[in-house]
Amino acid sequence: MTSRPLDVLEETLGDDVRVTLKGDTVYEGVLSGYDQHMNLVLEEDDNVTIIRGDNVVSIQP
């Protein structure tokens, strides 16, 4: 069982995720990267989106 948020992100790398931000904005794509601040990199087709960790409310596989 995973107990740390960064461990969950590590297990989810390369998988499709749905990220909900403050203000109920939702992004979907493949989690291709993250850092210790939980900034996320999502890829969908040819688009790459970088999401600042401060804005993330939830990440769902």
Side-chain angles (χ1 to χ4, degrees), residues 24-49:
D24 294 325
T25 302
V26 175
Y27 287 92
E28 294 182 350
V30 175
L31 180 64
S32 62
Y34 68 92
D35 66 11
Q36 69 273 11
H37 302 289
M38 293 183 69
N39 297 318
L40 308 174
V41 179
L42 295 182
E43 293 183 16
E44 184 177 12
D45 299 323
D46 290 335
N47 296 323
V48 175
T49 303

Side-chain angles (χ1 to χ4, degrees), residues 8-22:
V8 174
L9 289 177
E10 183 65 30
E11 291 176 4
T12 310
L13 267 178
D15 293 341
D16 288 321
V17 294
R18 179 184 187 125
V19 179
T20 305
L21 306 181
K22 295 176 184 175

